[in-house]
Amino acid sequence: MALEGSIKEFGLADILQLLYFQRKTGLLSIQGPSDVVRLLFYEGNIVSVESRKRPEARLGMILQKKGLISKETLQEALKEQAQRGGRLGHILLRKGLPKEALRETLTQQFTDIVTYLFTWREGRYEFRPQGVPIDKEVPISLDTQHLLMEGLRILDEWSLLKGKITLDTVFVRTGAEEPELSEQELSIYRLVDGENDVSAIVALSGLDSFQVSKALLALYDKGLI
């Protein structure tokens, strides 16, 4: 069964629900105004997510900023990947990265990308049944039904922030001194460095995208970023 069309006419929630209940295996490509996202499904659940705007090297950056790998280890892994190919995560595993740390970071990254798709209002989708490779070393399977519920919740919350902030927004601090803030706001403030976009701050903070975005807008309104 090939499936294609506009997400204006057949939304992401409908697509995910169909693929989940029919236990489909294959590739779903979604092309929006500013990104192309590819979701691999195995028997109705999502096992891999790729985003053109969030290349694999971004995974290494997040792992480094979490303190799970050193800058030198990441540079060595990227060099090895460029020379020999292969997945960056697998190369980092061979260099000592704990398997559970990689699985947790990838799961969070995949979840953030998929739930953000619910905010898209324009784009084209195409699903093609095909064989899907399963990562036996670090298997990941996201429950599509849970993602559907989470995406609809976030969509409702994000409607409050519409037009003010996106996951690609990058902030910089306006001052050198650390201000007096709540514990949560301070932890997010410390992640603002002119390099991390909102999605990176979400990954590093362990909070969901709405919590982070709301806190960042509060910091912005206070003139701190």
Side-chain angles (χ1 to χ4, degrees):
M1 175 199 73
L3 181 69
E4 58 185 297
S6 166
I7 59 176
K8 269 188 175 181
E9 300 170 359
F10 195 60
L12 181 65
D14 298 315
I15 298 168
L16 293 185
Q17 197 167 40
L18 178 64
L19 298 178
Y20 174 75
F21 283 114
Q22 294 193 6
R23 300 298 180 194
K24 293 297 182 179
T25 296
L27 170 64
L28 175 65
S29 297
I30 305 176
Q31 182 167 358
S34 60
D35 197 5
V36 177
V37 176
R38 291 158 45 96
L39 311 178
L40 288 178
F41 284 80
Y42 181 74
E43 295 185 352
N45 286 326
I46 298 169
V47 295
S48 185
V49 180
E50 298 173 7
S51 165
R52 186 176 292 175
K53 290 191 72 172
R54 295 171 178 80
E56 198 177 19
R58 180 187 181 81
L59 169 66
M61 179 199 75
I62 291 172
L63 290 169
Q64 180 194 327
K65 290 193 173 185
K66 280 185 172 182
L68 296 168
I69 58 173
S70 67
K71 183 178 180 179
E72 293 71 27
T73 298
L74 175 57
Q75 289 174 340
E76 290 172 5
L78 289 171
K79 183 177 179 180
E80 182 177 330
Q81 185 185 41
Q83 292 174 342
R84 303 179 185 177
R87 295 183 180 181
L88 180 62
H90 289 179
I91 296 171
L92 290 170
L93 288 178
R94 295 197 295 270
K95 294 183 179 296
L97 175 67
K99 188 175 293 187
E100 191 53 41
L102 177 59
R103 180 184 290 110
E104 181 182 320
T105 303
L106 282 172
T107 297
Q108 185 178 39
Q109 198 170 43
F110 291 173
T111 300
D112 287 339
I113 293 172
V114 175
T115 52
Y116 187 57
L117 287 174
F118 280 83
T119 67
W120 288 16
R121 288 291 172 265
E122 296 181 5
R124 302 285 302 176
Y125 66 86
E126 179 182 19
F127 176 78
R128 296 292 178 189
Q130 63 180 53
V132 169
I134 302 297
D135 189 339
K136 295 181 179 179
E137 195 166 1
V138 188
I140 293 175
S141 180
L142 305 182
D143 186 314
T144 302
Q145 192 171 33
H146 174 74
L147 275 179
L148 180 59
M149 295 172 63
E150 184 69 7
L152 292 173
R153 179 187 68 82
I154 288 177
L155 177 60
D156 185 53
E157 292 177 339
W158 270 85
S159 65
L160 303 174
L161 306 178
K162 188 177 180 181
K164 298 180 181 179
I165 191 171
T166 73
L167 290 183
D168 301 316
T169 305
V170 177
F171 290 96
V172 295
R173 300 181 193 177
T174 58
E177 294 185 8
E178 197 166 87
E180 291 187 13
L181 297 165
S182 68
E183 185 177 342
Q184 180 171 296
E185 284 185 337
L186 185 58
S187 68
I188 292 173
Y189 176 81
R190 288 170 175 167
L191 293 172
V192 174
D193 61 1
E195 178 182 326
N196 293 333
D197 62 14
V198 174
S199 64
I201 294 175
V202 170
L204 294 167
S205 69
L207 302 171
D208 69 36
S209 56
F210 181 72
Q211 288 177 298
V212 169
S213 298
K214 191 165 64 170
L216 286 169
L217 285 177
L219 294 173
Y220 177 79
D221 289 341
K222 291 176 182 178
L224 298 173
I225 60 174

